[in-house]
Amino acid sequence: MPEHQDMVKSHALRMLGEHITCKSVVITTGTFLRGVVHVGSKTKAAGRLPSSASQDRSDRTAEASTSSSSSSSHPSLTDTADAVAAAAAGTLAQTLSLAGFSLGRLKTGTPPRLAADTIDFSNLEHQPGDQNPLPFSFMHMGAPGWRPHARQVSCFGTRTTAASEAWVNQCVAAGRGAKFGADMLGVTQGGCTEPRYCPSLETKFRRFPNRTHHVWLEPEGLDSNVTYPNGISNSMEEEDQVQLLRTIPGLEEAVMLVPAYAVEYDYVDPRELQVTLETKRIQGLYLAGQINGTTGYEEAAAQGLVAGANAAAPGDPLIVSRSDGYTGVLVDDLVNRGTAEPYRMLSARAEFRLSLRPDNADCRLTAQGLQLGLVQPPRAAAFAQRSVDIAEAQTMLEETALSSHAWRRHGLPGRPDGSRASLGDMLHRPEVTLDQVSAAAILEGVPGTDQVTKILSRGGQHHPSTATALYNNFYKPYLVRQQQEVAQLKRDEALVLPEDLDYSSLQLSGEDREKLSASRPRTLAQAQRIPGVTPQAVVLLYQMIKRHQQAHHVLQRQTAQTL
C-alpha cells in the first residue's frame, strides 16, 4: 500500500512522544503481538509471565521453608514492563492490519517451574552431559579435548503415568482450564493453532491415548534452584496442575514456583516477506521470530541474524540458500509456503541435509559472512586455519595409497582387482578405522606418510578438522550426486524474475496466476517451490526469463557498438 511505504523512514518508533527516525526497523515481538496469557481460566493481555517470577518465588520459598503445596502468593500475570509491551504490541497489531498485512493467530505454551530441592531425584533417570562435549562455537575447535570452563550439571528423566492421563482428561471433560480463541481483549475468535511437534499435555493425551510421555527435568542455571519440567506444558487451572504433579514419579512433593501457562498471539503471514525478511508492503521494515509464525529459540535467532544483517546493509543482502544452511531452508519455506501452525525447523525439511552438518557450518557460511563484513578478524583467522587443516586431512585421505597386497599384509581387505586403494577408500569398509590405515601407511613408508604422521600428532580423528574431512570422505559417494542437484538449484536461483512482473499478462492458469501474484517469487527456484504452481507455469517463466536475458544482451551489444 503506497501510503505506508515511507512509514519506516519518517517515524519508525515513537517513545514518550519522541520520534526516532531511521531507514530500517526490525520487529521482533515474540508472543506479545496482541498476546493473551492463559493460566487456566485466568487471562491477561501479555506475551509471557515475568521472567524473574520463578527465581523470586524460589528465593521466598527457601527463606520461608514452605510446605510442598502450591500457595496463592504467585506473582501477578505480568510485571510493569511486560504490561507496557503488551499494550504497545496490541496497538502494533492494529497498525499492521491497517497497513494491509495478513494476520493469523497461533498458540504456544510452557510448563510450570519447580523448586529443585523439593524434587525426589533418587529413582529418576540420570542424564549427564556428553563425556566429550562438542562446542557450539568453532572458536573452540583449535585442538581436541576442549572442555567448557563452567562446571556441568545433569538433567533427569521421568514420565507421566496412567494417573496423569486420567486426571488431565477428567479436567478437560469437566471444562476446566483455558478457553482459546474467545472474543476477549480484542482478540478475534478462531484460528488459534498450537505447535505440532511440541504440543501441550492435553493434546498429547488426546492424540496419543493410553501412553506415558517423557518429562525431562532441566536445571535453569548452574546455581539456580529452579527446574524446568520439559514435556508437561499445559494450560490447566493452577490447583489442577499441583494435583498433576502428584501423579508423576519424583514430583509428588514438588513445589510449583510458577504455574504452566499458554499464550495465544498474532503473527504475520510470512508470505508477506522477501527472502531478506523485509516486508513486501513497506520498504525498510523487517520481521523476525515468532511474528513470522515460527516457534523455538534457534528459529528466532536465525531470523534475527538475517533480518538484522539485511536491515543494516540492505544493498548487500544476506541470502542463505537451501543448499547452504538450515536458515535458508527455514526462510525459503516461510516466504514461499507460509505456515498455518507454529513452524519448527526439522532436518527432514532439508533436501541437502547430508551437506548441512553441524561440523561444517563454518565451511558453508563463513566465506559469505566475510564478504558481507559480518565476521570479525579472530573468527576469520580461525576459519582460515581450519580450512587449511581440513584440506590437509582430505588430501591425505585421497592421495596416500597402498597396493592391495600391502593392505592384506596388515590384515585389511584389498581390492578384488588388486589395484591400489587410498586411505579414504579403505575407510568406506565396515569397521576399518583411521588408526588402522594410518599405521599401515606409516609401516609401508609410502608417499604421504609425513602428512599422516602430522594428522595423527594433532589428535587424529578426534581433531575437529580431521573429523570433518572424515565425514566428507564417508559421505562422498552420496555428496557427489547431491552436488549435482545443488548445482541445478544454483542455476535456477540465478534466474531472477522481474520485480514488476505482471502475472495477469501471462498465459497462465487462473490458479497459477493467483499463487504467483500472491507470493511474487524472486527467482525461478522459488516459483518452483510454491505449492500448487504447475510445471507448465515454471516452463513458461523460464522461457520468459531467457527472452529477457537475450534482449538484455542484444541491448548491451548495441550500446557497446554505439560507444
Side-chain angles (χ1 to χ4, degrees):
M1 301 178 69
E3 63 267 29
H4 297 284
Q5 285 296 321
D6 296 326
M7 184 176 73
V8 171
K9 295 182 180 180
S10 61
H11 50 90
L13 187 63
R14 182 181 297 177
M15 298 177 63
L16 303 177
E18 178 184 2
H19 288 95
I20 301 176
T21 60
C22 56
K23 293 182 178 180
S24 303
V25 169
V26 182
I27 296 180
T28 57
T29 51
T31 57
F32 275 86
L33 197 65
R34 204 147 45 188
V36 177
V37 165
H38 297 262
V39 180
S41 56
K42 298 176 183 177
T43 61
K44 181 78 173 182
R48 65 182 181 191
L49 290 187
S51 57
S52 61
S54 55
Q55 188 60 55
D56 292 345
R57 179 75 200 285
S58 176
D59 295 341
R60 292 198 300 273
T61 301
E63 292 170 3
S65 299
T66 59
S67 65
S68 62
S69 62
S70 175
S71 72
S72 60
S73 60
H74 289 311
S76 62
L77 291 184
T78 56
D79 59 18
T80 302
D82 283 354
V84 172
T91 303
L92 178 60
Q94 296 174 5
T95 301
L96 292 171
S97 180
L98 289 173
F101 286 95
S102 174
L103 302 182
R105 195 144 182 88
L106 300 174
K107 176 175 86 73
T108 189
T110 191
R113 303 306 193 266
L114 309 178
D117 57 8
T118 64
I119 297 174
D120 180 6
F121 294 101
S122 59
N123 293 315
L124 302 185
E125 179 187 355
H126 183 215
Q127 298 177 332
D130 294 336
Q131 290 186 349
N132 298 305
L134 290 175
F136 281 106
S137 172
F138 288 93
M139 298 297 288
H140 298 298
M141 287 192 171
W146 174 88
R147 290 290 184 275
H149 296 297
R151 65 182 177 86
Q152 300 301 288
V153 293
S154 296
C155 296
F156 288 83
T158 184
R159 300 186 75 92
T160 62
T161 62
S164 309
E165 181 175 5
W167 176 244
V168 171
N169 289 341
Q170 180 181 333
C171 293
V172 171
R176 295 174 60 80
K179 304 293 188 297
F180 298 102
D183 189 12
M184 59 182 71
L185 304 170
V187 174
T188 306
Q189 277 192 328
C192 184
T193 308
E194 73 175 4
R196 178 186 300 270
Y197 298 106
C198 46
S200 65
L201 192 59
E202 298 97 321
T203 299
K204 286 181 183 179
F205 286 137
R206 175 175 56 81
R207 289 172 54 189
F208 309 104
N210 304 315
R211 300 186 192 181
T212 63
H213 298 278
H214 284 288
V215 182
W216 292 273
L217 302 177
E218 304 169 352
E220 287 206 346
L222 292 177
D223 301 308
S224 173
N225 189 43
V226 181
T227 293
Y228 183 100
N230 191 345
I232 56 171
S233 171
N234 68 85
S235 55
M236 301 169 67
E237 300 292 348
E238 191 170 338
E239 60 272 22
D240 293 342
Q241 294 184 38
V242 175
Q243 184 59 39
L244 169 66
L245 296 177
R246 303 294 173 260
T247 69
I248 300 175
L251 307 185
E252 296 91 344
E253 302 297 327
V255 170
M256 187 171 72
L257 302 173
V258 174
Y261 64 93
V263 55
E264 55 176 307
Y265 56 95
D266 282 358
Y267 77 106
V268 174
D269 185 338
R271 289 172 294 187
E272 298 268 7
L273 304 173
Q274 302 179 49
V275 291
T276 58
L277 297 185
E278 183 180 22
T279 66
K280 297 174 181 177
R281 293 180 183 274
I282 300 177
Q283 184 180 1
L285 179 64
Y286 296 78
L287 308 182
Q290 284 165 299
I291 192 173
N292 292 338
T294 63
T295 185
Y297 297 115
E298 296 83 1
E299 289 82 353
Q303 293 172 75
L305 173 61
V306 172
N310 289 322
D316 201 4
L318 169 61
I319 299 175
V320 181
S321 168
R322 294 183 72 91
S323 62
D324 290 335
Y326 283 106
T327 297
V329 177
L330 179 146
V331 171
D332 186 78
D333 280 352
L334 290 175
V335 302
N336 285 308
R337 301 177 183 177
T339 184
E341 62 186 49
Y343 179 100
R344 176 74 78 175
M345 186 66 249
L346 305 172
S347 60
R349 299 188 191 275
E351 309 93 312
F352 310 114
R353 51 187 174 274
L354 285 181
S355 303
L356 307 184
R357 307 189 310 266
D359 69 281
N360 68 0
D362 58 336
C363 302
R364 292 182 278 110
L365 299 170
T366 306
Q368 185 179 9
L370 284 166
Q371 183 180 357
L372 298 176
L374 299 173
V375 177
Q376 295 298 314
R379 186 175 295 275
F383 168 66
Q385 183 58 55
R386 214 172 97 80
S387 298
V388 170
D389 293 343
I390 292 172
E392 288 179 348
Q394 290 188 172
T395 299
M396 177 202 73
L397 294 173
E398 293 169 1
E399 297 184 0
T400 306
L402 279 69
S403 68
S404 292
H405 181 66
W407 284 123
R408 293 190 185 101
R409 274 203 303 268
H410 297 280
L412 296 170
R415 286 181 165 171
D417 60 2
S419 61
R420 296 173 66 81
S422 69
L423 273 63
D425 294 331
M426 294 300 294
L427 288 172
H428 287 142
R429 305 293 184 92
E431 300 180 0
V432 175
T433 68
L434 178 62
D435 288 341
Q436 288 177 307
V437 297
S438 298
I442 292 172
L443 289 172
E444 292 292 328
V446 297
T449 298
D450 291 345
Q451 191 64 33
V452 173
T453 303
K454 179 180 179 181
I455 298 298
L456 292 178
S457 68
R458 66 188 187 202
Q461 64 188 18
H462 300 295
H463 191 283
S465 299
T466 305
T468 294
L470 288 170
Y471 294 140
N472 289 341
N473 178 76
F474 181 79
Y475 291 119
K476 185 176 179 178
Y478 310 99
L479 290 174
V480 169
R481 183 170 65 248
Q482 194 171 93
Q483 286 166 358
Q484 296 171 350
E485 297 170 354
V486 169
Q488 180 60 53
L489 173 65
K490 295 289 188 183
R491 287 192 291 270
D492 290 344
E493 286 179 336
L495 297 174
V496 179
L497 294 164
E499 291 185 5
D500 59 351
L501 179 59
D502 181 10
Y503 290 99
S504 64
S505 65
L506 303 179
Q507 296 297 314
L508 298 167
S509 70
E511 182 179 1
D512 285 332
R513 190 177 297 117
E514 178 183 340
K515 291 181 179 296
L516 290 166
S517 297
S519 181
R520 301 207 63 81
R522 177 176 167 272
T523 66
L524 186 68
Q526 289 182 359
Q528 288 176 299
R529 293 192 290 271
I530 298 173
V533 170
T534 63
Q536 293 87 342
V538 173
V539 170
L540 189 147
L541 292 175
Y542 175 79
Q543 294 170 344
M544 184 206 67
I545 292 172
K546 287 300 182 182
R547 286 197 299 270
H548 274 258
Q549 289 178 339
Q550 291 170 359
H552 180 68
H553 292 156
V554 169
L555 180 61
Q556 283 184 319
R557 286 197 298 269
Q558 292 175 344
T559 302
Q561 292 171 356
T562 302
L563 295 175

